[in-house]
Amino acid sequence: MKKSFAARTAFGLGLLLGSGSALAATTLTIGTVNNGDMVRMQALSKTYTEQHPDVELRWVVLEENTLRQRLTTDITTGGGQFDIITIGAYEAPMWGRKNWILPLEKFSPTYDVDDLMPNVRKQLSVDGKLRALPFYSEGSITYYRTDLFAAKGLKMPEEPTWTEIRGFAEKLHDPSKNVYGICLRGKAGWGENMALVTTIVNAYGGRWFDEKWQPQLDSPEWSQAVNFYVDLLSKFGPPGPSSNGFNENLTLFNAGKCAMWVDASVAGAFVTDKTQSQVPDKVGFVKAPRQVTPKGSSWLWTWALAVPSSSKQQQAAFDFIQWATSKEYANLVAKRYGISAMPPGTRLSTYANAEYMKATPFARVTQEAIQTANPDSPTLKPVPYTGVQFATIPEFQAIGTLVGKSISGALAGSSKVDAELKKLNESVQRTIKRAGYIK
């Protein structure tokens, strides 16, 4: 029987297995999101357990907002329900500084840490030490139906503005044929609608806070951006857009119902998959829309795997997350699902692979989106926070959720944008003041 990697390797905190001893039967509980790539990971994990018969995997697969709530509660209370958690560039540095998740060191010689994309690795590190391993990374990009554009004699620019996108949406919107001008996230959540809305605000020159941590939601830039978003999606989007997040819009796009869609670059593998999409050969890919500035117009996000400090199976958990984020795993995905399905945005070698670049029409725009995003300088005007589509402070999760619910309500027609933004600005100011950011 192949000796487990966990029996050969020391873990980051110096936890060692006894020399020559065999692992007892180990159950790893994995909390992850119900995105397509994670569902694939669950399906392919049988390969891992066949190689590691001493390990059993228990999966808890949840919708994005629910997952975040469950993991945040567990990690902050030291509940120990999970051995492996799926988190992102928002949580990793903050939870790492509090030592809620373990530093990751002493990798397998074949893992090749230096192959991880620098911009991605930086987002998951504290003081130069990785606290999570990237499963896939994404920017936001624009998807559009090349056949619908051609039929109307339209040409999509490589770097469209939101004004241009609106013009296209108006011309392509045809509900009588079940085709909507544009699909965008409307479902409330700091990582759902607010991921998109924040990039629109950034593109209009806005920001969450000024240099003195004063909230800016009542600024002209926020008003312009949010009113534009609500008007665009209300007039040229599908019915009930306030219920649609990433997965719902992916389903709509794959069914041929969206002329355009601005969302995560990771969807490229699904919209071009002939087994999932009705329009796999009719999709074009360009940068996310800009407006007065390109700064912060495309988000940067990484879904990553981490090991909570409360796990009782730390070494076995580290073993698994190395496998799931390795070149070996990427090659397994390519073999089972095709080379374009390899987890995107994490490894330099993926984009140095000529076969991958040739076979993957969204690879170039994905690579550019990830490499050019700058969380340290995300907006036109200076800000005191890092993060493109979020502010990396503990309070943002609650703030973003609150704002997301209000904007989703405005999209559903239950309130007026400017009145909501004024109330939200006051609420956010109270939160920030209580937290001590404003003296």
Side-chain angles (χ1 to χ4, degrees):
M1 183 178 71
K2 184 177 178 181
K3 194 175 181 182
S4 169
F5 172 79
R8 303 194 307 267
T9 314
F11 190 66
L13 290 183
L15 298 171
L16 296 169
L17 294 174
S19 177
S21 64
L23 274 175
T26 300
T27 299
L28 297 177
T29 301
I30 303 170
T32 195
V33 67
N34 65 342
N35 290 352
D37 283 275
M38 279 68 175
V39 173
R40 279 179 181 159
M41 175 174 63
Q42 184 180 3
L44 293 174
S45 65
K46 184 179 178 182
T47 300
Y48 183 83
T49 54
E50 286 174 350
Q51 296 172 354
H52 301 76
D54 47 358
V55 175
E56 179 183 347
L57 303 177
R58 177 177 174 267
W59 295 85
V60 180
V61 183
L62 300 168
E63 181 269 338
E64 186 171 319
N65 288 338
T66 306
L67 176 77
R68 287 185 165 126
Q69 292 167 1
R70 282 278 302 274
L71 295 186
T72 300
T73 300
D74 188 65
I75 203 81
T76 55
T77 60
Q81 294 182 39
F82 300 96
D83 301 293
I84 295 167
I85 55 176
T86 305
I87 60 173
Y90 170 71
E91 297 95 345
M94 292 192 300
W95 293 5
R97 289 188 189 97
K98 291 181 177 292
N99 289 315
W100 290 341
I101 52 177
L102 298 175
L104 306 175
E105 301 176 287
K106 298 185 179 179
F107 290 86
S108 161
T110 61
Y111 186 77
D112 195 2
V113 174
D114 292 334
D115 186 45
L116 297 178
M117 288 182 115
N119 209 11
V120 172
R121 184 174 175 176
K122 182 179 179 182
Q123 308 315 308
L124 301 176
S125 298
V126 175
D127 297 330
K129 289 185 179 181
L130 278 161
R131 293 287 181 148
L133 299 183
F135 183 69
Y136 74 74
S137 299
E138 64 188 33
S140 50
I141 64 175
T142 302
Y143 301 89
Y144 69 99
R145 286 279 299 282
T146 54
D147 58 331
L148 298 180
F149 269 69
K152 293 283 188 178
L154 303 173
K155 182 175 176 55
M156 174 69 82
E158 287 292 316
E159 300 181 9
T161 65
W162 277 108
T163 300
E164 289 172 323
I165 291 293
R166 189 189 191 284
F168 294 141
E170 185 173 7
K171 291 181 174 68
L172 296 168
H173 189 59
D174 193 353
S176 66
K177 295 181 179 178
N178 281 328
V179 175
Y180 307 103
I182 192 162
C183 294
L184 297 172
R185 298 187 186 193
K187 180 188 288 186
W190 71 265
E192 277 281 10
N193 64 340
M194 290 316 298
L196 174 74
V197 170
T198 301
T199 61
I200 300 176
V201 171
N202 293 343
Y204 271 82
R207 52 189 174 169
W208 274 95
F209 304 97
D210 69 11
E211 302 97 311
K212 296 182 179 179
W213 287 103
Q214 290 291 342
Q216 299 295 295
L217 281 79
D218 60 352
S219 66
E221 294 89 350
W222 268 83
S223 175
Q224 291 165 13
V226 178
N227 274 295
F228 171 85
Y229 159 80
V230 169
D231 179 72
L232 172 67
L233 202 47
S234 299
K235 289 181 177 176
F236 308 119
S242 61
S243 299
N244 295 339
F246 171 80
N247 285 326
E248 292 80 8
N249 283 315
L250 174 60
T251 299
L252 286 169
F253 194 94
N254 279 348
K257 295 182 179 181
C258 306
M260 295 179 292
W261 180 32
V262 180
D263 212 298
S265 57
V266 72
F270 302 105
V271 301
T272 57
D273 183 349
K274 294 178 182 178
T275 68
Q276 301 184 45
S277 175
Q278 296 179 26
V279 291
D281 56 349
K282 299 179 175 66
V283 187
F285 312 87
V286 295
K287 291 183 178 181
R290 59 179 65 195
Q291 191 62 20
V292 302
T293 180
K295 289 195 72 172
S297 60
S298 172
W299 71 63
L300 176 63
W301 182 255
T302 300
W303 278 117
L305 302 177
V307 180
S309 300
S310 55
S311 168
K312 304 279 194 301
Q313 314 287 349
Q314 294 173 0
Q315 225 165 348
F318 182 48
D319 182 7
F320 178 81
I321 69 172
Q322 284 193 86
W323 173 81
T325 60
S326 66
K327 294 178 184 179
E328 173 192 353
Y329 175 83
N331 291 332
L332 179 61
V333 173
K335 182 179 179 181
R336 297 281 182 91
Y337 300 99
I339 194 168
S340 292
M342 290 171 62
T346 61
R347 289 189 171 271
L348 296 169
S349 57
T350 302
Y351 296 88
N353 184 334
E355 183 184 356
Y356 176 82
M357 297 300 287
K358 183 179 179 181
T360 309
F362 52 88
R364 178 188 57 81
V365 69
T366 296
Q367 183 182 25
E368 289 180 4
I370 292 171
Q371 290 180 335
T372 57
N374 186 358
D376 295 326
S377 181
T379 53
L380 184 63
K381 297 175 183 177
V383 292
Y385 58 86
T386 61
V388 179
Q389 76 278 22
F390 54 81
T392 312
I393 57 174
E395 295 75 18
F396 183 79
Q397 188 164 343
I399 289 170
T401 299
L402 172 69
V403 176
K405 287 179 179 177
S406 291
I407 291 179
S408 187
L411 183 61
S414 62
S415 58
K416 299 295 184 182
V417 168
D418 289 332
E420 282 299 301
L421 290 177
K422 186 176 186 299
K423 288 192 295 184
L424 287 168
N425 199 75
E426 293 169 355
S427 177
V428 173
Q429 187 171 45
R430 287 194 296 271
T431 299
I432 288 296
K433 193 167 185 177
R434 279 198 304 269
Y437 294 86
I438 299 174
K439 304 302 182 186

